[in-house]
Amino acid sequence: MREMMKIEFIQARDLPDAWFQCVYHIFDKGYEYTIDRGSFQGQKRIEYDYMVVQIAHPGTRPLIPDMPPGCNVPPPTSMEYVEQYLEKLITSRKDVHETYTYGEDLERQIDEVIRMYREEGLNTNQAYMAVGDASSILLQDPQCLRGVDTRIRYGKLHFMLYFRSWDLWAGFPSNLAGLQLLKEYMAKEIGVEDGEIIASSKGLHIYDYCWDLAKTRTGRKK
C-alpha cells in the first residue's frame, strides 16, 4: 500500500531557531535516497517530503546560526555571503560564469510591488514575485527559489516563499537571511512594519557529506 506524502510544519522564533529545528528533525522525518539527476548526482541526501516553516520574528539578530563554543562544527554560512546573496536578489547584473541570477527576475518586480502597495493600497493578492520561466526546465541547475509572495496584514509585510529544491545545511540560513534583509528594505519603503516569513519546499534536504556535521551540531552524535 502506497504511503501518503508527509507534510511537516515547524513554528520557530527566529531564523537560527528555524534552521536548528529543521536540521534536528530531518533525521527522523526525512526520506533518504540517491540522486538520479541534479546537483551531486549519484550521492545520497535525506529530504523532507514537504516542509512548511513559519518564523514569527525573522528580523531578530543574529540572522544566521552560530556555533556553540567547543562544538567543532564550522558555521554553515556568514553575513559576508548573505550580503553577496542579497545583491544577487536585487540586481540583474550577471557574471560571465552564471547562467542566471534571481535579480534578473526580481529587480523590477521589487520596485513594482513597492509601488503597488504605496499607490494602490495594502489589501491585494497580486503582489507576487515570480522567479524563472518556461525555459528554466532546460537549465542544468534550474532556479531553486521559484516564488516570493507578499502579504500586508496587521500592519506588517510578510513573505511567503517557495523553493523547489533547498539545501538545508548552508542554503537555508543564507537564503532566508538575505530574503529577510530584502523584506526589511521593502517594508521601510512601503511604510509598514517588518513581519513573518512562511517558507515551504518539497525539496528541503541535507547532502550526505553534511550528515555528521548536522548530527554533531544537534547533539545526535556524541
Side-chain angles (χ1 to χ4, degrees):
M1 184 176 180
R2 186 177 65 183
E3 293 187 13
M4 294 181 63
M5 295 274 286
K6 299 175 183 177
I7 301 176
E8 306 295 343
F9 177 54
I10 283 176
Q11 289 182 303
R13 298 183 309 274
D14 51 33
L15 297 182
D17 180 41
W19 176 81
F20 184 91
Q21 288 195 58
C22 288
V23 172
Y24 183 87
H25 290 294
I26 198 168
F27 294 103
D28 295 324
K29 300 181 178 182
Y31 175 81
E32 181 181 327
Y33 68 99
T34 300
I35 303 163
D36 289 330
R37 174 188 166 116
S39 302
F40 301 96
Q41 181 179 354
Q43 296 189 22
K44 291 184 178 180
R45 63 186 175 201
I46 188 167
E47 183 173 83
Y48 288 107
D49 284 353
Y50 197 91
M51 169 58 76
V52 179
V53 54
Q54 181 180 21
I55 307 162
H57 306 289
T60 301
R61 268 49 175 183
L63 296 179
I64 58 175
D66 57 356
M67 298 296 112
C71 180
N72 295 322
V73 174
T77 189
S78 67
M79 284 307 299
E80 180 181 3
Y81 182 82
V82 169
E83 293 288 347
Q84 294 172 1
Y85 179 77
L86 174 63
E87 183 177 359
K88 297 298 183 183
L89 287 173
I90 62 177
T91 63
S92 57
R93 183 175 63 254
K94 184 168 63 177
D95 295 336
V96 293
H97 68 280
E98 293 177 319
T99 56
Y100 68 85
T101 70
Y102 292 118
E104 289 180 302
D105 294 315
L106 293 177
E107 185 177 33
R108 288 181 293 178
Q109 294 184 83
I110 291 168
D111 292 338
E112 176 58 19
V113 167
I114 292 170
R115 185 209 63 78
M116 187 185 302
Y117 281 129
R118 291 178 63 173
E119 298 181 10
E120 300 185 46
L122 305 183
N123 296 317
T124 178
N125 282 328
Q126 296 186 347
Y128 176 85
M129 298 183 286
V131 176
D133 56 25
S135 64
S136 295
I137 193 69
L138 302 176
L139 295 175
Q140 183 175 359
D141 289 301
Q143 299 93 329
C144 294
L145 173 65
R146 301 313 295 261
V148 180
D149 208 351
T150 72
R151 159 74 73 200
I152 294 180
R153 186 152 291 174
Y154 314 118
K156 299 179 180 181
L157 174 65
H158 310 281
F159 269 9
M160 289 74 177
L161 312 171
Y162 180 73
F163 288 82
R164 65 155 188 89
S165 184
W166 206 2
D167 169 34
L168 173 54
W169 182 253
F172 182 103
S174 304
N175 303 154
L176 289 186
L179 286 158
Q180 171 60 26
L181 293 175
L182 172 60
K183 181 160 61 65
E184 292 174 1
Y185 162 75
M186 293 178 67
K188 182 178 180 180
E189 290 295 305
I190 296 166
V192 295
E193 295 182 29
D194 178 58
E196 300 175 19
I197 287 178
I198 301 174
S200 65
S201 178
K202 67 92 177 71
L204 184 61
H205 60 265
I206 294 184
Y207 293 108
D208 54 3
Y209 65 85
C210 290
W211 290 355
D212 285 345
L213 292 174
K215 289 177 181 179
T216 299
R217 175 62 185 89
T218 55
R220 287 179 170 272
K221 184 177 182 180
K222 302 299 183 182

